[in-house]
Amino acid sequence: MKMKLSFLMILSVILVACGSDEEAPETGAPADPPEAIPETEDEEARAELMDDEGNSVGLVSFLRAPDGNLHVEASVNGLGPGFHGFHIHEAPACDHEHDEGAFTSAEGHYDQDGNSHGDHAGDMPALFVNEDGTAQMTFSFDRVTTEELIDETTVMVHADPDNYGHIPDRYQSDDQEEPGPDEESLSTGDAGDRVACGVVESPQ
């Protein structure tokens, strides 16, 4: 009985090995490369950032996101490391030799509703610059449209971090009677000097 079973097992192995002329598929064979995703021409506005000596230090692009919001991409180089205030300003001018200081021709933060800083339509997340002077940032927001921005506003990078007007009441300013944020904090977030500026324009 054992001999019969062994014979049948050997015979079945031989039949399986010889019963097909098809080659077994190679394992680990490289798959066909996926089709490249086509690039989309969806940039709606941009601002080339210039420093106070007229040198190009970066680019900010505004693109329409699938949800209808604005998708912002910033690429910057040649700035001091750390956090920098990053805003849209209300005038399309970047005069780095202005009598009142570099880029003051861009006026204040873009806003149509009389809000304090932190709630301005043009208030954006702080820009973090690495030790090598470069920064990359992407985000989406819904406070503005490109129709409002193009040829009407500027993008501004400030020298200091932005506190978004958040000064707790336990702090007392030297130049006001009440504790909490003073006028400077409520208008600029104490972000300091303006170190890079670019007029928002249609992409070329």
Side-chain angles (χ1 to χ4, degrees), residues 85-106:
F86 189 53
H87 316 122
I88 297 169
H89 281 240
E90 61 184 353
C94 286
D95 184 357
H96 62 275
E97 295 181 347
H98 195 276
D99 291 341
E100 297 181 10
F103 309 131
T104 52
S105 56

Side-chain angles (χ1 to χ4, degrees), residues 4 9-10 25 42 70 82 114 118 125 146 166 168-169 177 184 203:
K4 183 180 292 186
M9 292 174 64
I10 293 170
D42 55 357
L70 277 186
T146 51
H166 179 66
D169 287 344
E177 297 178 0
E184 184 71 13

Side-chain angles (χ1 to χ4, degrees), residues 2 5 11-12 29 56 66 68 82 84 89 100 114 117 137 146-147 153 164 172 175-176 185-187 191 194 198-199:
K2 290 182 179 179
L5 288 173
L11 181 61
S12 65
S56 177
H84 294 257
H89 281 240
E100 297 181 10
H117 182 58
M137 181 167 68
T146 51
E147 290 77 16
T153 61
Y164 299 102
Q172 177 68 54
D175 59 3
Q176 67 177 28
S185 294
L186 292 174
S187 60
R194 305 175 181 196
V199 176

Side-chain angles (χ1 to χ4, degrees), residues 30 47 66 84 98 108 128 130 200-201:
H84 294 257
H98 195 276
F128 181 76
N130 298 307
V200 180
E201 302 173 327

Side-chain angles (χ1 to χ4, degrees), residues 9-200:
M9 292 174 64
I10 293 170
L11 181 61
S12 65
V13 170
I14 295 172
L15 289 174
V16 168
C18 299
S20 174
D21 293 332
E22 295 181 3
E23 295 183 2
E26 293 184 24
T27 59
D32 292 335
E35 294 184 6
I37 299 174
E39 295 184 3
T40 56
E41 300 293 336
D42 55 357
E43 184 185 45
E44 295 192 345
R46 60 166 53 191
E48 182 181 5
L49 297 174
M50 312 294 287
D51 66 15
D52 58 6
E53 295 182 354
N55 302 311
S56 177
V57 294
L59 181 68
V60 180
S61 296
F62 297 89
L63 306 95
R64 181 63 57 186
D67 59 5
N69 295 334
L70 277 186
H71 182 75
V72 183
E73 298 180 355
S75 178
V76 177
N77 62 82
L79 298 183
F83 284 101
H84 294 257
F86 189 53
H87 316 122
I88 297 169
H89 281 240
E90 61 184 353
C94 286
D95 184 357
H96 62 275
E97 295 181 347
H98 195 276
D99 291 341
E100 297 181 10
F103 309 131
T104 52
S105 56
E107 301 183 9
H109 296 183
Y110 179 76
D111 188 66
Q112 302 297 310
D113 300 319
N115 295 315
S116 296
H117 182 58
D119 290 320
H120 294 144
D123 293 338
M124 299 189 290
L127 180 71
F128 181 76
V129 178
N130 298 307
E131 288 292 333
D132 63 0
T134 65
Q136 302 284 336
M137 181 167 68
T138 62
F139 63 94
S140 293
F141 75 143
D142 60 0
R143 288 180 167 180
V144 295
T145 65
T146 51
E147 290 77 16
E148 295 175 284
L149 300 183
I150 293 174
D151 298 329
E152 298 291 336
T153 61
T154 56
V155 174
M156 190 74 66
V157 182
H158 289 258
D160 299 326
D162 188 338
N163 61 27
Y164 299 102
H166 179 66
I167 306 293
D169 287 344
R170 66 179 180 271
Y171 295 112
Q172 177 68 54
S173 174
D174 292 335
D175 59 3
Q176 67 177 28
E177 297 178 0
E178 297 296 327
D182 58 16
E183 184 177 348
E184 184 71 13
S185 294
L186 292 174
S187 60
T188 69
D190 298 312
D193 293 339
R194 305 175 181 196
V195 296
C197 179
V199 176
V200 180

